[in-house]
Every structure is written in C-alpha cells, then in structure tokens.
Amino acid sequence: MAVSVAVPARIAGFLAAPTPDAWLDEACERIPELLLDHANCELKAASTALGFLYRYPERQALAQRMSRLAREELRHFEQVRSIMDDMQISFERLSASRYAGGLRDAARTEEPLKLLDLLLIGALIEARSCERFAMIAPRLPDKLGRFYGGLLASEARHFEHYIAFARSECGVGEEDIAARLAELKVIEASLVTDPDPEFRFHSGTPSP
Ligand SMILES: [Fe+2]
Ligand SMILES: [Fe+2]
C-alpha cells in the first residue's frame, strides 16, 4: 500500500515554488541515482553542521545543536546506505548538483551577514528536502516510501532550528531577515525549477 504523506503546511508556505511534476516523474524512473545522491546529501548535511562548529565555536547554543544535527544526519546517511545495500545499489562517487553550490555562492562574506545567510540557506535546503520527501514518498516502493515518510519530520525539525538560529544568533532585525529570505527564496526556487540537464535529489526540471 502506498504511503500517504503531505507536505507540512508551514514548509509548503515557506518555499517560493513547488517541486515540478516532471522532476517527480523522473525520480521514480531513477531510484538508484536518487538514493545515491540522497546519501551524499545526508553526508553533506552532516558536514555543513560540522562547518558551523568549526566556524563559530564561541556560539555555544549553536555548537550544541549543530553537533547533534551532524550526528542525526550521519544516522540518516547510514540508513540510506543500508537501504541501498538491501536494494543492491552500489555506492559510488557522484558529482554534486548545482543546488547547494548555487545557494552558497549567494551568501555574503561579511559577518554577521554571512552567518545569517548560511543559516537561511540551511533552512531552505532542509525545507526543500522535506517537501521532496513528502511528495515522492507515496510514489515509491513501500519500504522506501515509508523511510522517506519518516525522514520528512526530521527535516521539518531541522528547518525550524535553522530559522530559529537565524533570528537569535545574528543580531539582524526581523524586517532585514525577511527581505534577505525573500531574495534567497527566489534563487532557491529557480534552482529547483529551471531546466537542469543533470538529475539529482535537488535538481531542477529535467531537460534533455
Ligand atoms: Fe537528513
Ligand atoms: Fe536535515
């Protein structure tokens, strides 16, 4: 029986554009690559969390949370790997999609705006991951669909942590945060909807 899950309303309302149907169709046809890139994304999510620990060791609340987040993302990585083993999909190196790099290129370089941007970008990536898990779960084979249905709650939680730290850690006013978030949302939406010749977990509309 197909898993029934919905994109949480707060996540759907946060993202500037939904995932295109054409990406969902493509993903169902390319499950081994989806899983392989997903495993990479979990590793990268762990390493992004560790990056905050290295870059801002003096921020104690942030460091505690990011340390936990890194462990949770590594646990997700292990779970994806074991599902891949079950499905006899071998783990290989895969080039990174344009998505995370495209967002990080937009981050400003001066503090505290850099920290603000990195946290907002983290929130966007978690929100998009949550949205894609929810949208694709009902269309996947049972066991994988259930796994994805379970992951989306974690990603929604991670999204909330990133947003909360953007508000509490940077000393930037609510209006400026909203204005910056609006700009980043536009960039994020175009990365996941513009034609994209490469298929990845966060790729755009498939183009030949
Ligand atoms: Fe994760
Ligand atoms: Fe996450």
Side-chain angles (χ1 to χ4, degrees):
M1 205 179 63
V3 190
S4 146
V5 280
V7 182
R10 193 162 140 68
I11 299 284
F14 181 78
L15 296 167
T19 284
D21 284 339
W23 181 88
L24 292 166
D25 294 340
E26 183 88 353
C28 293
E29 301 287 316
R30 299 175 73 166
I31 290 174
E33 286 152 288
L34 179 74
L35 280 168
L36 186 53
D37 192 50
H38 174 196
N40 282 327
C41 289
E42 297 291 1
L43 258 191
K44 267 182 252 152
S47 116
T48 298
L50 282 179
F52 284 100
L53 280 174
Y54 282 118
R55 212 171 279 142
Y56 307 100
E58 71 287 359
R59 295 176 184 267
Q60 212 194 344
L62 183 73
Q64 281 287 355
R65 174 58 63 194
M66 289 298 158
S67 172
R68 268 190 238 162
L69 198 81
R71 278 185 281 150
E72 199 180 347
E73 303 292 19
L74 280 177
R75 178 80 192 114
H76 292 167
F77 171 73
E78 292 162 25
Q79 289 171 323
V80 184
R81 284 296 303 263
S82 102
I83 286 194
M84 288 173 68
D85 285 348
D86 289 350
M87 294 174 78
Q88 296 179 328
I89 301 166
S90 55
F91 193 75
E92 7 172 318
R93 197 174 279 274
L94 200 65
S95 63
S97 75
R98 67 185 184 187
Y99 180 76
L103 279 168
R104 284 204 185 97
D105 285 349
R108 291 167 291 185
T109 50
E110 257 172 59
E111 296 293 4
L113 302 178
K114 179 178 177 176
L115 174 59
L116 176 68
D117 285 1
L118 292 176
L119 289 167
L120 293 178
I121 289 166
L124 278 161
I125 296 174
E126 297 289 348
R128 180 62 64 188
S129 306
C130 175
E131 188 238 15
R132 289 204 162 174
F133 287 138
M135 289 181 89
I136 196 144
R139 300 175 57 163
L140 293 174
D142 223 23
K143 192 177 168 192
L144 188 53
R146 273 200 308 274
F147 173 55
Y148 275 19
L151 280 184
L152 76 94
S154 308
E155 307 311 348
R157 200 161 23 79
H158 300 167
F159 158 75
E160 299 291 353
H161 290 315
Y162 274 110
I163 285 290
F165 280 123
R167 296 211 167 97
S168 66
E169 286 289 324
C170 308
V172 175
E174 198 57 43
E175 254 177 52
D176 289 340
I177 293 179
R180 183 58 179 152
L181 195 47
E183 292 170 352
L184 292 171
K185 282 181 184 183
V186 170
I187 298 172
E188 196 275 342
S190 68
L191 287 165
V192 292
T193 56
D194 286 352
D196 195 342
E198 207 167 47
F199 173 75
R200 295 286 185 269
F201 186 82
H202 291 113
S203 55
T205 302
S207 81

